[in-house]
Amino acid sequence: MSHAHLVSNLHEGLLREVTGDHGGLGTILAHRAYRAEGARGPVAFVDLVVLPPHTSIGLHRHADDEETYVILSGRGRMTLDGEEFDVREGDVIPNRAHGEHGLANDSDGELRLLVFEVGPLGDAGDAR
């Protein structure tokens, strides 16, 4: 059985425009590659996100879930629980349950990332 039909191609119009994501600046591009509906595991979603130059995902807080950012290409400035730091290709940033985070592309090139969320965590989130 071929699995080729399961592979998404971003160049075929899958990315959609999202303006002011979580109160961020500008319009970013996103594609939800995975949804929890019908799934048997605790993964809520997997998104591929493109932040054009000088756009951002605004500072926000989640509830009983964890969200992880995987920087695929480009660079930017991450805010995580009050701390700011630079991120670049290959960085993996865990955003813990009830934590506050945001990401800005302060460069002149695109910033591409994979975002995946796990939750609700239930009692497992209280152990942190």
Side-chain angles (χ1 to χ4, degrees), residues 96-107:
R96 303 285 181 215
H98 307 286
E100 189 175 49
H101 57 276
L103 177 63
N105 179 356
D106 58 358
S107 76

Side-chain angles (χ1 to χ4, degrees), residues 25-85:
L25 298 175
T27 299
I28 66 173
L29 304 173
H31 170 65
R32 179 144 297 163
Y34 175 91
R35 292 183 186 274
E37 294 87 15
R40 296 173 49 179
V43 174
F45 65 81
V46 175
D47 285 354
L48 178 60
V49 178
V50 178
L51 278 70
H54 311 292
T55 62
S56 67
I57 297 170
L59 197 59
H60 63 286
R61 185 180 305 275
H62 288 259
D64 187 29
D65 55 58
E66 290 184 353
E67 189 175 64
T68 300
Y69 289 2
V70 180
I71 308 299
L72 301 174
S73 65
R75 60 184 176 83
R77 188 93 179 139
M78 183 81 194
T79 302
L80 181 61
D81 297 324
E83 179 185 352
E84 287 191 29
F85 52 94

